[in-house]
Amino acid sequence: MSTTADTPPGTPRWRTRLHAGSEQRPTPTAPLRFAFCGRVSTEDNQDPAASRAWQLNRATALIAPHGGQVTAEYFDIGHSRALPWKRRPQSAALLAALASPNRPFDAVVVGEPQRAFYGNQFGNTFPLFTHYNVPLWVPEVGGPIDPDNEAHDMIMSVFGGVSKGERNRIRIRVRSAMAAQTQLEGRFLGGRPPYGYMIIDLGPHPNPAKAADGKRLHGLAPNPATAVIVQRIFSEFLAGKGFFAIAETLTADGIDCPSAHDPARNRHRSGIAWSKGAVRTILTNPRYTGHQVWNKQRKDETLLDIEDVTLGYTTTLRWNAQAQWIVSDRIVHPPLVDDETFAQAQDIINSRTRTATAHGVKRTSNVYHLRGTFICSACGRKMQGNWSHGEAYYRCRFPAEYALANRIQHPRNIYLREKDILGPLDHWLARMFAPHRLDDTIELLAATPDIAPASGHSLRAEEARNTITDCDTKLATYRAALEAGADPALVTQWITQNQATRTRAEADLRTAQLARSTQLTRDDIAALAHAHSDLVMVLAEAEPADRAALYQRLGLILTYDSGKQKVLVEMNLNQHFSGTRGLTVGVRGGT
């Protein structure tokens, strides 16, 4: 066998044969399959359909000359670009698909890099594409990004910086415009009107485009029914009455408190009576002087996990100091009190104020196993968690003005220590779900007359399925992160928490699927009881957060009678069994 003419002398024969055998063997190439990745921030500010269309058109124009076609789409709607990929649902699903050998695409294409990557997100995400050998195509590069090309890396880093700068400029521009509109124009910028005022129409919006869309300019005007109450509060306070005394007289006179006057805007409040806090809020609101006020609160971005900065930030609402408030230069709506009256009220309040931690800064990290399950028998309200001397307590603080309004004999504070109830509670649950007692428990549940109808079961099943899907996506992402070199201990912790969440979701799904439109059968109840028995058996060894979640799954309702120092335990298993009474246990603690 002779060698080719261009083969250098002394070339090994095996190399010559390999070279000769590889010639003239064309292999047919199939169309390259692409996954399209895009994002639109909010439905209110942008049209998701139009945004998706133009991004997809750019991506298609890039890959079409190379014979590529889009076979999968991952398009996030309503998610900020500041969120990292693993916290955007569709982007996280794309990252999970990268690790799958059966993924329905060979490469990924984005329509606009500024919408896909923000800040240093490209540097945190692209290594996964390289690891799984999936090309990433970008229009600005003209094709796939070369991981060994410094120019490509620099271009994508610049786009991430441009994206971050664009978002910051928009935020600064909007805040500056709102500050100027408040200070110079005194414009009402939205939100609920203060008690004593109502919103009125002031004509077409000054922005021609918004006016063409039918938007109107609004302002504040005195509410005839409540403006006199505000003036009365200021008058009585300057006359020497305190917050509680004013609240008591208003309640005694049958005057609706702010939350009762406007219940549609205050669904989270009881509206039983005037509170001291409501009186103080009115006395410290400078809007009653006729000036517009803005920037009383701000949104801060704080790290979601200080141990892993790649998870990005979370938005937290916090109060600003009074010096940072933006107040209009002139009176823009009818005042309910004059400046001198308001200033006198502030002097009195400041003379009584004690130095305390800034409002809204403290965050609890303590775990309450029975959060949201305790009810005070005296007033019927839920008891709140309270951490004291290194232990978890549950407290019912019933303001005196509420007690007066409802003629309830209620101690000012009722306390119950958590550890005094956990032992008897776990013992009862273990007995109820023990293998030799499980049949009796099922009979007890089946004999309960008030079995809840299956309204909303489809929704609960869908939520459970979504949770399971989300857990599977996260699990694939965690495994990919582990393969990419992430901290094994941290990833293992994430996987453990994810699996616990998935187990609870599977139990929810089984429960919802067993529900009927009218009444559960005994077989259904037996299936539910057996499904929960496994959870009860691991209570003693569960982590605090998982243990608290298990109590929630069992639908426990604990009613505390402080006079008898007894706790009535009821179980509403997965909210299908109403009023399944358990036991009454004695606890220590007092009022």
Side-chain angles (χ1 to χ4, degrees):
M1 177 178 178
S2 60
T3 61
T4 56
D6 57 349
T7 302
T11 302
R13 294 180 64 188
W14 61 265
R15 183 176 177 183
T16 304
R17 291 181 178 181
L18 180 63
H19 177 73
S22 61
E23 290 180 349
Q24 298 179 353
R25 285 191 180 182
T27 56
T29 58
L32 195 60
R33 302 175 304 166
F34 279 87
F36 164 65
C37 179
R39 183 197 62 82
V40 60
S41 58
T42 59
E43 293 188 55
D44 295 334
N45 298 331
Q46 301 180 37
D47 178 11
S51 181
R52 172 192 167 277
W54 72 258
Q55 291 182 56
L56 182 59
N57 286 342
R58 289 199 75 203
T60 304
L62 172 64
I63 65 177
H66 303 274
Q69 59 183 4
V70 174
T71 58
E73 289 191 21
Y74 299 89
F75 192 78
D76 284 299
I77 298 177
H79 295 277
S80 170
R81 69 184 74 183
L83 290 177
W85 277 45
K86 62 180 67 175
R87 291 176 58 196
R88 304 180 202 166
Q90 293 298 318
S91 298
L94 173 58
L95 294 180
L98 292 178
S100 173
N102 299 321
R103 55 179 175 265
F105 56 86
D106 306 307
V108 177
V109 59
V110 299
E112 186 182 54
Q114 292 97 321
R115 290 182 177 267
F117 300 105
Y118 172 88
N120 61 349
Q121 289 177 3
F122 174 77
N124 295 330
T125 306
F126 186 64
L128 290 176
F129 288 84
T130 304
H131 176 78
Y132 292 111
N133 197 26
V134 177
L136 176 63
W137 289 53
V138 177
E140 282 71 10
V141 176
I145 297 175
D146 185 356
D148 299 323
N149 191 318
E150 295 182 359
H152 285 189
D153 184 73
M154 182 178 65
I155 290 173
M156 295 305 298
S157 299
V158 169
F159 280 127
V162 169
S163 178
K164 184 175 182 179
E166 179 184 357
R167 180 173 180 264
N168 290 336
R169 283 195 303 273
I170 293 175
R171 181 172 58 183
I172 293 173
R173 207 156 44 224
V174 170
R175 290 183 60 84
S176 299
M178 295 179 72
Q181 290 171 352
T182 300
Q183 184 174 1
L184 302 179
E185 304 176 21
R187 185 183 300 183
F188 176 71
L189 299 177
R192 71 176 65 187
Y195 179 80
Y197 284 105
M198 60 183 180
I199 297 178
I200 60 172
D201 190 328
L202 298 180
H205 197 281
N207 186 315
K210 293 184 177 181
D213 290 338
K215 291 183 171 59
R216 312 284 293 178
L217 192 64
H218 298 96
L220 297 177
N223 187 322
T226 57
V228 293
I229 307 302
V230 173
Q231 295 169 340
R232 171 180 167 176
I233 290 174
F234 275 92
S235 176
E236 292 184 358
F237 185 71
L238 295 183
K241 284 188 176 182
F243 300 150
F244 171 70
I246 296 175
E248 182 182 2
T249 56
L250 292 174
T251 301
D253 291 345
I255 299 173
D256 287 340
C257 63
S259 56
H261 172 73
D262 190 5
R265 293 176 178 266
N266 297 274
R267 295 183 181 133
H268 59 296
R269 301 188 183 277
S270 63
I272 297 176
W274 280 86
S275 67
K276 294 181 293 184
V279 173
R280 190 184 190 281
T281 299
I282 290 174
L283 290 170
T284 56
N285 192 344
R287 277 179 157 184
Y288 293 117
T289 62
H291 294 270
Q292 189 58 267
V293 182
W294 178 76
N295 200 40
K296 297 177 71 173
Q297 291 180 303
R298 71 182 188 278
K299 290 183 178 179
D300 286 346
E301 291 187 346
T302 57
L303 283 172
L304 185 66
D305 185 354
I306 60 175
E307 302 295 337
D308 184 6
V309 296
T310 62
L311 291 177
Y313 297 83
T314 182
T315 302
T316 306
L317 193 64
R318 291 175 176 169
W319 291 93
N320 285 326
Q322 191 169 350
Q324 296 177 279
W325 295 0
I326 305 298
V327 182
S328 62
D329 294 336
R330 57 186 177 85
I331 294 177
V332 294
H333 53 257
L336 301 185
V337 295
D338 55 48
D339 288 338
E340 183 178 354
T341 299
F342 185 80
Q344 291 177 3
Q346 304 319 297
D347 291 339
I348 296 174
I349 293 173
N350 292 333
S351 65
R352 301 175 181 176
T353 302
R354 294 176 296 179
T355 303
T357 305
H359 178 71
V361 175
K362 296 179 65 177
R363 294 291 185 271
T364 178
S365 60
N366 302 314
V367 176
Y368 296 91
H369 295 91
L370 300 170
R371 181 190 296 272
T373 63
F374 270 104
I375 295 177
C376 175
S377 64
C379 62
R381 301 187 308 161
K382 285 189 176 181
M383 302 177 70
Q384 297 177 333
N386 185 66
W387 200 264
S388 179
H389 303 291
E391 292 186 275
Y393 285 78
Y394 295 92
R395 180 187 72 173
C396 181
R397 183 180 180 276
F398 201 81
E401 57 267 30
Y402 286 6
L404 290 174
N406 294 274
R407 296 176 174 82
I408 295 176
Q409 295 297 325
H410 194 293
R412 183 177 181 84
N413 287 286
I414 294 176
Y415 284 94
L416 173 63
R417 187 164 52 182
E418 183 182 78
K419 74 175 185 179
D420 291 335
I421 189 63
L422 286 180
L425 178 62
D426 288 348
H427 179 69
W428 176 73
L429 288 173
R431 285 193 297 108
M432 293 292 292
F433 287 92
H436 66 282
R437 289 286 307 273
L438 195 55
D439 288 339
D440 294 337
T441 301
I442 294 172
E443 294 297 336
L444 176 63
L445 295 173
T448 304
D450 296 328
I451 301 297
S455 58
H457 294 325
S458 298
L459 179 60
R460 282 193 288 270
E462 184 64 25
E463 291 176 352
R465 292 191 188 95
N466 293 338
T467 301
I468 293 173
T469 302
D470 184 55
C471 288
D472 291 340
T473 300
K474 290 181 179 179
L475 187 60
T477 303
Y478 297 157
R479 288 173 177 168
L482 189 61
E483 294 177 2
D487 183 7
L490 182 60
V491 175
T492 301
Q493 180 182 356
W494 292 346
I495 292 176
T496 302
Q497 295 173 352
N498 186 71
Q499 288 176 337
T501 302
R502 196 183 192 282
T503 300
R504 292 194 294 270
E506 288 176 343
D508 288 338
L509 181 58
R510 289 195 299 269
T511 300
Q513 289 174 338
L514 288 171
R516 298 292 186 265
S517 59
T518 56
Q519 184 172 350
L520 299 178
T521 66
R522 187 189 183 285
D523 292 338
D524 295 338
I525 296 172
L528 288 173
H530 284 290
H532 287 80
S533 63
D534 295 336
L535 298 178
V536 172
M537 292 301 104
V538 300
L539 275 175
E541 301 178 358
E543 294 293 330
D546 293 334
R547 189 178 182 183
L550 292 179
Y551 287 130
Q552 294 290 333
R553 284 282 293 107
L554 293 171
L556 296 177
I557 302 174
L558 310 178
T559 304
Y560 178 47
D561 188 333
S562 60
K564 298 179 180 179
Q565 293 192 342
K566 300 286 185 181
V567 174
L568 174 65
V569 183
E570 298 175 288
M571 183 171 62
N572 187 11
L573 188 60
N574 198 43
Q575 300 181 3
H576 290 295
F577 308 110
S578 59
T580 305
R581 185 150 304 192
L583 79 166
T584 302
V585 297
V587 296
R588 291 181 295 169
T591 61

